[in-house]
Amino acid sequence: MTRTAQEAGTPLVSRRRRGWRGWLVVVVIVAVASGLLLWSASAFTVSEKDRTDPESHGPDGYRALVEVLRDHGVTVDVVRARSDVTRLLDGGAGTLVLPDPFALSDDSVRAMIDAAPATVLLSPSSAVLDLAIPGAEIVGYGTTAVDAHCDLPAASNAGTIRPGALMTGGDVACFPAGGGAALISQSDEGRTVTALDASLLFTNAHITENGNAALALALLGQHDSLVWYVPSWNDSDAQGTSDATLADLTPGWVTPALVLLALTAAVAAIWRGRRFGPLVAERLPVTVRASETLEGRARLYARARDTGHAARILRRRSTAELGRLLGMGRGATTDAVIEAAAAAVAGPRDALRALLTGPEPGTDAELVELSDRLAQWEAAIRAAVRTEGKRS
């Protein structure tokens, strides 16, 4: 008795263990996927910061330039709010470093530029360039190193640089190439605005190339104090008119979370979709005899007057029955059955072929006639097979 109970309980225990193992595998996969997504999200965030932050040590940051400026006695304040920029400029700061202020309105950008004795635009957009230096525009891109060819001391003393974006406009144009200049400058009422593409020139990876370092120190170190503004959407005053994308306006964890949910759903679908479980016999409330099912389908065919469909069923069944009586496999073709049946009873092949492959009957009478003739052929083959068996 005890042994039988244990044997009966063993499959249940095994199924439970398999179930727990399946859940454990799912949990491990989800945990690993979560870790990878969080790591990729953090790596992406660091990568984006490297491209824009003056405190970044990455190849696309400006930390090396900031440290060199401080070593030369320049006070560098990295700020991330417009209010701090205004406060420091009102306190006597001399130079404003302004990367593309994508999150600010034109009025805010204009107010900061007007408050600074010297403004250096690093990689400005066309709109900001025209706002700071009216009439200026971006006209191309330079790839080969060029000399200053201008009277601006900060540029002429730097030697050669490899320009990025080329611009036109301003009072002074330096490093000409391709119909534009890598650096343009304009002075108005004691304020100077200088624009250049520093996306490569002043980064940690390229600051030591050509005359990049000399140009950066001359432009950014012309006063004893410098304010470096870092734009962000958190400091935006132009939400209603900005071109921010949905990704810019959503928290950083939203995308990894959505990807994780999609991955979890996919894993669950694969896991549950391929495991249907054992077949279970269900006791029906009533027993339906096969003859009743047959009669019910026959009545449906009769009500629909679908004699063609009924004829096709009769022919398929009769062909299969003839093949079975003649000892032919299920894969036997209709032509092979016709040849074998005609040879077994020495009957006309064309007549049997017309029965099995001829046109469909159009009336109930023709359908009944077809059924009777097929039954006659089956009876004849059955009798021939029995006679042959008695002789052998």
Side-chain angles (χ1 to χ4, degrees):
M1 181 73 68
T2 304
R3 182 179 179 183
T4 303
Q6 291 177 351
E7 291 176 352
T10 299
L12 178 60
V13 174
S14 300
R15 287 196 297 270
R16 288 179 177 177
R17 288 178 179 174
R18 287 196 297 270
W20 279 109
R21 284 198 292 267
W23 278 110
L24 181 61
V25 170
V26 173
V27 170
V28 171
I29 292 175
V30 172
V32 172
S34 302
L36 292 176
L37 289 172
L38 291 176
W39 174 81
S40 62
S42 61
F44 176 78
T45 303
V46 172
S47 176
E48 288 297 308
K49 182 179 179 181
D50 287 347
R51 296 179 57 188
T52 59
D53 204 307
E55 295 182 336
S56 171
H57 294 276
D60 297 326
Y62 298 105
R63 182 59 180 267
L65 173 58
V66 171
E67 292 300 324
V68 172
L69 287 170
R70 287 170 176 166
D71 290 342
H72 283 72
V74 178
T75 301
V76 179
D77 292 300
V78 177
V79 298
R80 305 175 189 277
R82 290 172 290 114
S83 58
D84 293 334
V85 174
T86 303
R87 175 177 54 82
L88 291 171
L89 291 177
D90 292 342
T95 304
L96 171 64
V97 178
L98 192 62
D100 182 24
F102 53 86
L104 299 183
S105 64
D106 292 349
D107 293 339
S108 296
V109 175
R110 185 75 262 176
M112 286 193 295
I113 293 175
D114 291 342
T119 300
V120 179
L121 303 177
L122 301 181
S123 308
S125 63
S126 298
V128 173
L129 181 63
D130 182 64
L131 178 66
I133 304 176
E137 59 181 352
I138 299 174
V139 295
Y141 195 87
T143 57
T144 59
V146 294
D147 293 322
H149 297 293
C150 67
D151 297 332
L152 186 66
S156 59
N157 295 333
T160 63
I161 66 168
R162 188 182 297 274
L166 301 176
M167 298 164 282
T168 59
D171 300 332
V172 179
C174 303
F175 305 104
L183 181 150
I184 61 175
S185 179
Q186 178 170 297
S187 299
D188 183 22
E189 298 181 358
R191 292 186 299 270
T192 301
V193 179
T194 304
L196 77 162
D197 181 4
S199 57
L200 293 179
L201 291 177
F202 296 166
T203 60
N204 297 333
H206 299 280
I207 188 64
T208 58
E209 297 177 0
N210 301 315
N212 297 352
L215 178 62
L217 291 175
L219 289 177
L220 277 60
Q222 53 187 302
H223 295 91
D224 294 335
S225 59
L226 179 145
V227 178
W228 194 309
Y229 175 67
V230 181
S232 68
W233 288 112
N234 294 330
D235 191 45
S236 175
D237 68 335
Q239 290 91 343
T241 59
S242 65
D243 295 329
T245 63
L246 182 61
D248 296 325
L249 300 177
T250 54
W253 56 266
V254 172
T255 300
L258 292 177
V259 174
L260 177 59
L261 290 176
L263 181 61
T264 303
V267 171
I270 295 173
W271 170 57
R272 296 302 298 177
R274 61 185 296 271
R275 181 182 176 185
F276 298 97
L279 296 177
V280 178
E282 182 180 0
R283 300 177 66 90
L284 297 177
V286 295
T287 301
V288 180
R289 291 178 297 183
S291 59
E292 293 182 3
T293 303
L294 177 63
E295 293 174 0
R297 296 187 65 177
R299 283 193 293 270
L300 290 175
Y301 292 148
R303 183 179 304 173
R305 297 187 179 276
D306 193 357
T307 56
H309 184 71
R312 289 192 294 272
I313 294 177
L314 289 174
R315 284 168 169 168
R316 284 198 301 267
R317 190 209 64 80
S318 184
T319 302
E321 180 65 14
L322 292 175
R324 185 188 67 81
L325 293 173
L326 294 170
M328 306 177 69
R330 293 184 177 182
T333 63
T334 302
D335 291 338
V337 172
I338 292 172
E339 294 294 331
V345 297
R349 292 177 175 80
D350 294 339
L352 181 58
R353 189 181 305 277
L355 286 177
L356 296 179
T357 62
E360 297 177 351
T363 63
D364 291 343
E366 293 178 355
L367 179 62
V368 172
E369 182 182 0
L370 173 65
S371 176
D372 292 341
R373 295 180 63 184
L374 289 174
Q376 292 172 3
W377 270 93
E378 292 175 15
I381 296 297
R382 189 176 293 107
V385 171
R386 288 177 181 175
T387 301
E388 184 68 22
K390 291 179 179 180
R391 292 178 180 177
S392 59

